[in-house]
Amino acid sequence: MYGGMGVGAFAVVRTDAASIWATGKSWFQVPPVVQLNLTGTLPPGVTGKDVIVALCGLFKSDVLNHAVEVKGSEETLASISVDNRLTISNMSTEWSAISAMFPIDRTLERWLRYKATEAAMFEDRTTRERITHEKIDELYADPVQADPGAYYAKQLYLNLSTLSPYVSGPNSVKLSTPLSEIAPKKIKVDRAYIISCTNSRASDIAAAAKVFQDAAKANSGKIPKIAEGVKLYIAAASVREQEIAEDSWQTLLEAGSIPLPPSCGPCIGLGKGLLEDGEVGISASNRNFKGRMGSRNAQAYLASPEVVAASALSGVISGTGVYKAPANYFGVDFGYGTGSPVTTESELGNVLEQLESLIDRVESSAVDDTSKAITKILPGFPEMISGEIVFCNADNLDTDNIYPGKYTYQDDITEEGMANICMSNYDPDFGLVAKPNDILVSGFNFGCGSSREQAATAILAKKIPLVVAGSFGNTFSRNSINNALLCLEVPRLIERLRATFTSLDKLPTRRTGWTLTWDVARSVVKVQEGKNGDCWEEKVGEVAENLQEIVAKGGLENWVKHEIMKTEA
């Protein structure tokens, strides 16, 4: 979220944080950087939530495990308030990026100046020493910015002027659709949510309340009630945000909203108001993975606070009517590059970027004499892993699918219990199909979503020593190393499996009869495609010694204990 304020913010999980506190050390892989070029300006009725929901669908896999640097003209960026920037940066995780950083510009400066003045006026503000005009002067005297001619792994562009309200879902952040295409379907809503750190600041609560206040003008000035059969839950991002939005908060209560405390709740499947079997929910939160907000047999959509409020008022997914499509509208203008007028030079640059990507892929898949070089293996780290492939044919298989959210905070669950519920939100029969020492193989962006470490430890509890995927979500990769679960990216294997197992039964979990052997020392995987099938090898990345050391000690927690013992010795 802090990327919305010009900060390069990268997430760490609980074990990471404990390691930093205890030893002052952590491990980090520097990510490639994507430049997101924004052009145009946000139209009335379009919000930061619409921007990020649209990006999730328009560029589904382009920013996976990349850091995103946002760029735009002063006019373009002035149309995106800091609150909207916070929403975009917050949900960049769902876009599959590891961060999204806005520039330190005049819009941010005005916001900081206001916060500094406000803090100086009230003695009880904890920000009085942290946000001062003197510190803002220092920041803008030498703002953090990219070097001239900086290299980017990719360049994307989005013309904000062509954007309209968007809705995400059902049950996938990457499935995003213009509201204009969803509203005519009149999808009935059972529960609506204006909650979470993503979109429940004072400005969000005010925007939702305005939907009811505007409707009151046609109702003799009386705030209308939420549609019959719909429950609207509201929870402020903090106590302070609720206080600031008190009048708007009261409007929503008058409309019949159900207040919840300013904390995590339905957005992570906890507490009151969870979706039940067969229900449809629409939320201003950040994730709508299957089963995350309640029943895995429910459907969850994401939208801006305004659309959520309008949907609660009408009883079906709908908008406020504020947005008006321009004449001769042909849809969203987006693509690769800077969004500037096309020139021969820019076209050549795009072609070269694609060629470089292809060359990297070919080089990574080639097994030549260099693969005979031996990687140093530390004591305790496996030199070879082999097993039968169990294939879960799905992309974006998130941590709620791997380890259901309703169990996340059950501290008394046993290792056997974790093994029994492993992957149950994805496939209730996974436990009957997978066996100890199998190698779990899945599609692309495996382990996206929540940072829960149990997604890794539940797989280990199932006695599965290795997960192979086309690609992994960054946080899952960290959690795996930190808990001594090994992961490999082998895109070719996913392609081969999908080309072979194309039957109509669409088994979510399949025993393949294929075997995979990872020769860690040679950094090569060998795949035998069934008893009489093809056999092939592919080069994979080496495991760095610092990561081997963590795994060899049984995970980061044991590594920290070892470091503390060395210090005390």
Side-chain angles (χ1 to χ4, degrees):
M1 180 185 292
Y2 300 109
M5 296 185 291
V7 176
F10 301 91
V12 294
V13 191
R14 288 165 293 187
T15 304
D16 284 310
S19 172
I20 295 169
W21 288 332
T23 68
K25 299 177 183 178
S26 185
W27 63 276
F28 183 74
Q29 185 174 18
V30 177
V33 181
V34 169
Q35 185 182 68
L36 172 63
N37 298 278
L38 299 179
T39 63
T41 56
L42 276 183
V46 181
T47 70
K49 186 56 159 268
D50 300 310
V51 174
I52 189 61
V53 168
L55 286 170
C56 286
L58 297 174
F59 301 102
K60 286 183 170 63
S61 59
D62 291 279
V63 301
L64 176 63
N65 297 335
H66 287 63
V68 174
E69 178 191 310
V70 180
K71 183 181 180 181
S73 69
E74 184 174 349
E75 180 186 15
T76 293
L77 294 173
S79 73
I80 311 174
S81 68
V82 171
D83 277 5
N84 275 320
R85 296 178 186 195
L86 295 175
T87 295
I88 294 168
S89 291
N90 180 302
M91 275 195 67
S92 66
T93 300
E94 284 63 55
W95 189 19
S96 303
I98 64 173
S99 69
M101 181 178 176
F102 278 80
I104 299 173
D105 64 355
R106 294 308 160 196
T107 298
L108 176 62
E109 182 181 11
R110 287 191 293 272
W111 186 85
L112 289 171
R113 296 287 182 192
Y114 173 82
K115 292 294 183 181
T117 300
E118 182 186 49
M121 292 172 62
F122 299 96
E123 293 186 0
D124 62 337
R125 292 296 168 83
T126 59
T127 54
R128 293 190 76 186
E129 294 183 3
R130 290 188 286 113
I131 304 179
T132 66
H133 288 287
E134 291 76 17
K135 289 185 176 181
I136 297 170
D137 290 338
E138 292 177 10
L139 173 64
Y140 279 84
D142 186 22
V144 175
Q145 56 189 334
D147 295 331
Y151 171 79
Y152 296 95
K154 298 176 186 176
Q155 287 189 317
L156 313 175
Y157 79 87
L158 173 66
N159 185 342
L160 298 180
S161 296
T162 66
L163 198 62
S164 65
Y166 262 70
V167 175
S168 166
N171 297 346
S172 171
V173 181
K174 299 296 180 75
L175 182 61
S176 61
T177 309
L179 176 64
S180 59
E181 296 179 18
I182 285 187
K185 299 178 181 179
K186 297 190 179 299
I187 299 171
K188 184 182 180 299
V189 170
D190 297 291
R191 301 177 194 263
Y193 308 85
I194 299 169
I195 57 174
S196 89
C197 54
T198 308
N199 267 124
S200 201
R201 287 175 286 279
S203 60
D204 300 312
I205 296 168
K210 189 175 185 301
V211 173
F212 290 90
Q213 292 162 354
D214 288 346
K217 297 174 183 177
N219 192 38
S220 303
K222 184 178 180 182
I223 298 296
K225 295 296 183 181
I226 295 160
E228 185 176 354
V230 179
K231 294 180 180 179
L232 173 60
Y233 299 89
I234 57 174
S238 69
V239 172
R240 176 63 184 157
E241 293 296 309
Q242 184 175 327
E243 291 174 350
I244 295 171
E246 181 58 30
D247 290 343
S248 299
W249 185 264
Q250 290 303 319
T251 294
L252 294 174
L253 291 180
E254 189 176 344
S257 299
I258 301 170
L260 298 175
S263 63
C264 293
C267 54
I268 59 168
L270 293 177
K272 186 177 182 180
L274 302 185
L275 289 171
E276 298 181 0
D277 284 356
E279 288 189 333
V280 173
I282 186 166
S283 177
S285 54
N286 57 347
R287 292 169 183 161
N288 59 342
F289 305 133
K290 180 187 288 188
R292 180 177 177 84
M293 298 184 69
S295 169
R296 67 186 303 272
N297 297 316
Q299 292 191 327
Y301 294 84
L302 302 179
S304 67
E306 293 93 323
V307 169
V308 172
S311 301
L313 180 58
S314 68
V316 296
I317 295 179
S318 54
T320 63
V322 173
Y323 170 77
K324 305 296 182 184
N328 301 317
Y329 180 65
F330 297 106
V332 183
D333 178 19
F334 70 100
Y336 299 93
T338 64
S340 301
V342 175
T343 64
T344 302
E345 183 180 356
S346 65
E347 286 286 274
L348 181 59
N350 288 339
V351 170
L352 287 174
E353 280 189 12
Q354 294 177 42
L355 284 174
E356 288 175 358
S357 176
L358 177 61
I359 291 169
D360 288 344
R361 175 71 184 279
V362 172
E363 288 179 345
S364 68
S365 64
V367 178
D368 53 23
D369 290 340
T370 61
S371 67
K372 297 178 182 179
I374 302 300
T375 300
K376 179 182 177 181
I377 305 298
L378 299 185
F381 193 86
E383 295 186 7
M384 188 170 292
I385 296 176
S386 186
E388 182 179 347
I389 292 174
V390 170
F391 186 37
C392 294
N393 189 7
D395 294 331
N396 304 309
L397 208 158
D398 59 77
T399 52
D400 280 273
N401 274 312
I402 301 169
Y403 194 82
K406 62 184 178 181
Y407 300 108
T408 304
Y409 296 99
Q410 291 189 18
D411 294 335
D412 59 347
I413 194 165
T414 63
E415 183 177 348
E416 182 181 3
M418 293 181 73
N420 290 337
I421 61 177
C422 178
M423 304 290 286
S424 60
N425 238 5
Y426 165 70
D427 177 11
D429 292 329
F430 176 85
L432 300 176
V433 179
K435 299 177 181 178
N437 299 315
D438 281 342
I439 292 175
L440 173 60
V441 179
S442 189
F444 294 82
N445 198 21
F446 183 89
C448 58
S450 166
S451 61
R452 68 193 62 162
E453 295 185 67
Q454 294 98 323
T457 55
I459 293 173
L460 284 171
K462 190 64 180 171
K463 308 302 182 186
I464 293 173
L466 174 65
V467 180
V468 179
S471 58
F472 290 92
N474 177 264
T475 304
F476 180 84
S477 294
R478 289 193 66 86
N479 284 339
S480 296
I481 292 294
N482 290 346
N483 289 281
L485 172 66
L486 297 175
C487 297
L488 272 181
E489 293 187 355
V490 189
R492 180 185 175 190
L493 175 59
I494 314 309
E495 294 165 1
R496 295 283 295 179
L497 285 164
R498 286 177 170 169
T500 302
F501 298 102
T502 58
S503 60
L504 298 177
D505 57 13
K506 299 292 183 182
L507 290 173
T509 307
R510 178 190 299 274
R511 297 201 69 81
T512 62
W514 295 22
T515 58
L516 180 145
T517 301
W518 177 21
D519 187 332
V520 182
R522 291 177 58 229
S523 299
V524 167
V525 293
K526 178 180 179 180
V527 176
Q528 175 64 52
E529 298 183 356
K531 186 176 181 181
N532 299 312
D534 292 345
C535 182
W536 50 272
E537 292 187 347
E538 179 153 334
K539 186 101 167 71
V540 294
E542 297 182 9
V543 183
E545 286 191 18
N546 61 327
L547 302 187
Q548 286 190 42
E549 185 180 3
I550 293 171
V551 173
K553 286 185 168 53
L556 190 60
E557 183 178 341
N558 287 337
W559 180 89
V560 169
K561 292 176 181 178
H562 180 77
E563 290 297 298
I564 293 174
M565 290 174 62
K566 286 197 305 184
T567 303
E568 293 175 346

